[in-house]
Amino acid sequence: MKTFFQKCLHFWLSILSIYLIGCTEEKTVIQQVAQVTYEIDSIDLYSSNIDKTRQKSDLQFISILYSNLFNASIPSNILNDLSQLRLSLGDKQLASEMMIDYFISNPAVIIPTTESMRNEPNSFIINTYLRFLQRAPKDYEVYALEKLIAENELLTSKEVYRAFTLSNEYQFY
Amino acid sequence: MKRRKFIKNVAYATGASLSAPYILPSGRLFAATGSRIANHVIFVLFAGGIRNQESVDQQFISNQAGFSAEGNLMENMLSGAKPSTAGSFYSPWDPILSNPLAEQGTLFKEMRYNIGPTGHYNAHAVAMTGKYMTTGLNLNVNPEFPTIFELYRKHNSPTNSALNAWWISEALGPYPSLNYSRYDGYGVNYGANYIQPSTVFADLGGYFANAESYQPDDVQRINTVKQFLDNNFDQVAEEIPGIKNTAEDRQLIKQFLVDTINGVVDGSVDLAIPPDVPLSSLNGDLINITTAWQILKTFQPELMVVNTTNLDVCHSNFSGYLNFLHQADWGIGWLWDKIQSNPDLRDDTILICMPEHGRNLESNGITDNQNGFVAYDHTSDENSRRLFSLIVGPGNVQSGQTLGSQGEPVGQSVDIVPTIAHILGFHDSIPSYLLDGRILTEAFI
């Protein structure tokens, strides 16, 4: 026959154990998610591009593009305007290209210089993958892009950014 | 020997004449199969819902209580004197054409939109597919049956790129989805380039005006990097809705957009508005028509559909409707005048105008502030099914001919698609079950 005190103790110990188990599991989950701190936001990284199976919607594409290029959330008026412009053209690829060109021409866009790309191609490539594709590049990808940059003397950092934002992988998440 | 040589020469000459392509007035060649009447067709969906009373019947305000004035609001399209009291009820613009289009072509004064609701999108879809739709409006969904653009791009020989097919719409809403259908075997791969000029050139053009531009060499370098990235990713972004131009055509269109935006700013773009009229009168319809000309002179497409919609204010503002009707007529006259000034298009372009549907016989009782005129809706009564059409072109179009009367209409809304296909020479290649209408052969010699 348990006393009232024992009953209470048993109840609270049960609650505490459930809480602790819950906390432990949550901690494990959090530890499993790879994270990178990139400028102001912390983002989850993909371990591989195989996980990207869903195509971005128009709104997702525009707002993510803006965030990636300016490291800031897109103002709602610009998002509305650009969504309307995208609706106003039948060729969505054309609309995307024109938006990218508009953003890239903006003085506030954050793009490394071509000189820094050529001086440190390895870190430029890794950072560009992290920034736009949210994953670390494979070794062969770094190697091949380094080679491309070295072989194409006129290739600029803006052009590389444009290629990343126009890539098929960038259309998916 | 001489006889044998003669027969041989005749045989060669006959063979050559059978296999040689036709040469059109413009000097362009096209294959002998599927002979054409002209190489360019512009279909103006003179839309927004126009009553025959105020257009071809020239009744002006005589259906308004207490008024009897009649007259022609559309002096560029129709023969007839303007109302004597014009200036009191709308701002008359001097006609730009000395010879109205009706005298240069065939006017189908009474046509019908026979089946389905008289809604703007539905009636646009009927006019652009040649199929009546009774299953509902399906707003914001691509039409069920192939559009004229898909029929053209699939059945015309040789196959042409989307640079040859344009859909220019005054409004957004459901209209962007009219550049291709959901029909199996047609669809996006045969669609038209779509543009809504008011947004791209007027309201938001500044976004694109200073966009970074790239030369072909730059594009090639970018594509090399993109190609590498695409090779390492299994998914293809083919599900992006919308038509796809080739990279080269995309570049041409991009340059066109930037040039036009900058041309609007620096005043080098010809605007569809009389020189003595303030720019504030450049309404959406006239911006659309301005853009139609910019595209025509830049790309010389074979097929273009352009609409007007502003006069739909008639739901609540009959005076505004009269003004917009008059101004859209001026815009069409301006467009035809521009075409006649271009040596490549002048003798090789056929213009077709038709409203998508009419408006009711009975007013909805709403009066406007300007003149107290009553307004009209379009809710599928018999009057809202009344249409007219105008077909104008070079020598092989019957000129000065007027057909149809209210008791004996000639032609239907669904006849425009087969007629365009006939003009461009691919009508016989279209499966007959895809067309509800017939060729308006009366319009041609």
Side-chain angles (χ1 to χ4, degrees):
Chain A
M1 199 62 185
K2 290 179 182 174
T3 64
F4 175 73
F5 175 74
Q6 283 175 317
K7 283 181 183 173
C8 285
L9 182 65
H10 184 77
F11 172 75
W12 285 113
L13 282 173
S14 302
I15 295 294
L16 183 63
S17 65
I18 290 167
Y19 175 73
L20 288 175
I21 290 166
C23 283
T24 307
E25 280 184 352
E26 188 178 351
K27 192 175 177 186
T28 308
V29 170
I30 291 168
Q31 282 171 343
Q32 283 172 350
V33 175
Q35 284 194 305
V36 62
T37 301
Y38 182 73
E39 296 291 339
I40 54 170
D41 290 326
S42 144
I43 55 168
D44 295 341
L45 290 181
Y46 292 91
S47 58
S48 158
N49 62 15
I50 294 171
D51 300 331
K52 298 179 184 175
T53 54
R54 285 177 293 176
Q55 201 163 315
K56 293 171 185 169
S57 67
D58 283 0
L59 283 179
Q60 283 172 324
F61 178 84
I62 296 167
S63 54
I64 292 170
L65 177 67
Y66 188 96
S67 301
N68 288 161
L69 289 171
F70 295 95
N71 281 342
S73 298
I74 188 167
S76 59
N77 62 323
I78 294 180
L79 182 60
N80 287 341
D81 288 353
L82 293 178
S83 302
Q84 198 172 337
L85 273 170
R86 198 173 166 86
L87 279 174
S88 304
L89 292 170
D91 185 336
K92 303 306 174 195
Q93 177 74 15
L94 172 70
S96 296
E97 287 183 17
M98 294 204 71
M99 275 176 217
I100 291 165
D101 296 346
Y102 159 68
F103 285 149
I104 285 180
S105 68
N106 189 317
V109 72
I110 299 165
I111 300 182
T113 62
T114 300
E115 190 183 10
S116 70
M117 173 182 82
R118 295 203 170 274
N119 288 341
E120 296 180 57
N122 188 280
S123 64
F124 172 82
I125 291 164
I126 292 170
N127 285 332
T128 305
Y129 267 85
L130 291 173
R131 186 170 185 173
F132 292 107
L133 305 183
Q134 293 183 12
R135 68 179 176 87
K138 308 285 185 199
D139 289 346
Y140 75 90
E141 289 175 316
V142 177
Y143 170 78
L145 270 182
E146 274 189 346
K147 195 162 174 283
L148 260 177
I149 291 170
E151 287 173 354
N152 287 277
E153 291 177 1
L154 297 175
L155 186 68
T156 65
S157 54
K158 277 186 179 180
E159 290 169 357
V160 174
Y161 269 34
R162 192 172 188 265
F164 268 76
T165 53
L166 288 172
S167 69
N168 283 334
E169 186 173 344
Y170 191 67
Q171 308 287 337
F172 286 79
Y173 69 101
Chain B
M1 187 65 184
K2 277 183 180 173
R3 184 172 170 271
R4 185 183 273 177
K5 192 177 176 185
F6 171 77
I7 292 169
K8 197 174 170 184
N9 287 342
V10 168
Y12 282 148
T14 306
S17 69
L18 286 174
S19 60
Y22 289 110
I23 302 174
L24 283 161
S26 64
R28 291 185 55 180
L29 304 179
F30 61 81
T33 52
S35 61
R36 289 178 159 190
I37 294 175
N39 272 317
H40 307 274
V41 176
I42 302 157
F43 176 22
V44 180
L45 256 167
F46 196 40
I50 300 176
R51 300 197 332 154
N52 275 16
Q53 281 87 346
E54 287 78 34
S55 52
V56 285
D57 291 347
Q58 304 187 11
Q59 294 174 358
F60 188 40
I61 54 172
S62 60
N63 296 297
Q64 297 290 334
F67 293 92
S68 57
E70 296 194 338
N72 181 17
L73 279 168
M74 299 160 56
E75 292 174 273
N76 291 285
M77 294 174 70
L78 307 172
S79 307
K82 69 180 174 188
S84 56
T85 55
S88 307
F89 301 105
Y90 70 99
S91 307
W93 293 354
D94 289 337
I96 195 165
L97 299 179
S98 53
N99 191 21
L101 293 175
E103 290 178 19
Q104 301 180 49
T106 294
L107 173 66
F108 292 83
K109 198 177 173 191
E110 281 283 343
M111 293 176 78
R112 287 292 178 269
Y113 173 86
N114 277 337
I115 302 169
T118 55
H120 298 296
Y121 175 74
N122 200 65
H124 268 73
V126 170
M128 290 166 74
T129 62
K131 291 286 280 184
Y132 281 121
M133 292 174 205
T134 54
T135 52
L137 295 175
N138 287 327
L139 292 175
N140 281 323
V141 176
N142 296 84
E144 187 179 353
F145 294 101
T147 61
I148 182 61
F149 309 116
E150 295 155 82
L151 297 172
Y152 159 70
R153 290 194 59 207
K154 178 153 184 165
H155 296 293
N156 185 68
S157 178
T159 304
N160 283 318
S161 77
L163 213 53
N164 265 292
W166 285 82
W167 162 221
I168 305 169
S169 131
E170 197 280 320
L172 285 173
Y175 298 105
S177 53
L178 284 169
N179 64 339
Y180 62 90
S181 72
R182 293 170 281 147
Y183 201 84
D184 278 351
Y186 290 82
V188 67
N189 291 331
Y190 299 98
N193 267 299
Y194 168 78
I195 187 168
Q196 196 250 343
S198 294
T199 297
V200 176
F201 297 128
D203 301 341
L204 302 175
Y207 280 100
F208 291 159
N210 300 312
E212 195 87 8
S213 62
Y214 296 91
Q215 299 304 310
D217 287 352
D218 308 332
V219 173
Q220 197 173 349
R221 286 195 300 276
I222 292 164
N223 283 343
T224 305
V225 178
K226 175 177 155 42
Q227 193 64 51
F228 168 77
L229 296 169
D230 288 349
N231 287 343
N232 292 306
F233 186 65
D234 287 339
Q235 307 267 8
V236 179
E238 281 182 345
E239 289 178 11
I240 294 176
I243 66 132
K244 290 166 186 65
N245 290 287
T246 63
E248 294 77 20
D249 286 355
R250 237 182 2 254
Q251 197 57 32
L252 291 173
I253 296 170
K254 196 181 304 173
Q255 196 57 53
F256 163 77
L257 295 175
V258 172
D259 289 348
T260 306
I261 291 165
N262 291 325
V264 170
V265 174
D266 67 26
S268 61
V269 167
D270 288 333
L271 300 175
I273 190 168
D276 55 340
V277 168
L279 269 182
S280 57
S281 297
L282 189 74
N283 58 47
D285 290 345
L286 297 175
I287 290 172
N288 238 27
I289 289 170
T290 297
T291 303
W293 172 241
Q294 289 297 315
I295 290 172
L296 272 172
K297 74 173 184 180
T298 305
F299 299 116
Q300 302 199 346
E302 294 194 333
L303 176 60
M304 173 185 281
V305 182
V306 52
N307 76 349
T308 61
T309 64
N310 288 170
L311 48 81
D312 193 34
V313 296
C314 192
H315 284 291
S316 59
N317 183 356
F318 187 83
S319 299
Y321 161 77
L322 297 178
N323 258 307
F324 282 126
L325 181 59
H326 177 71
Q327 291 168 359
D329 164 83
W330 195 93
I332 290 168
W334 180 87
L335 183 62
W336 187 246
D337 188 56
K338 287 290 176 196
I339 290 166
Q340 299 317 300
S341 71
N342 184 297
D344 293 329
L345 297 171
R346 181 173 50 224
D347 297 320
D348 203 10
T349 301
I350 290 180
L351 176 73
I352 301 175
C353 301
M354 183 185 76
E356 86 279 46
H357 57 63
R359 303 191 89 89
N360 293 350
L361 182 65
E362 299 299 329
S363 153
N364 60 15
I366 298 173
T367 53
D368 63 49
N369 294 330
Q370 195 178 331
N371 297 302
F373 292 151
V374 292
Y376 296 91
D377 296 328
H378 42 89
T379 55
S380 308
D381 77 347
E382 281 310 304
N383 200 65
S384 65
R385 298 190 177 283
R386 294 178 65 197
L387 300 175
F388 65 91
S389 179
L390 191 54
I391 300 180
V392 188
N396 33 25
V397 174
Q398 292 276 10
S399 60
Q401 177 179 230
T402 300
L403 301 170
S405 62
Q406 193 167 355
E408 287 184 45
V410 176
Q412 300 178 53
S413 172
V414 289
D415 294 341
I416 299 299
V417 165
T419 302
I420 292 172
H422 173 64
I423 293 167
L424 291 176
F426 62 90
H427 176 268
D428 293 347
S429 305
I430 302 172
S432 58
Y433 55 83
L434 288 179
L435 297 173
D436 283 348
R438 65 173 180 90
I439 300 166
L440 294 169
T441 50
E442 302 92 324
F444 306 102
I445 294 170

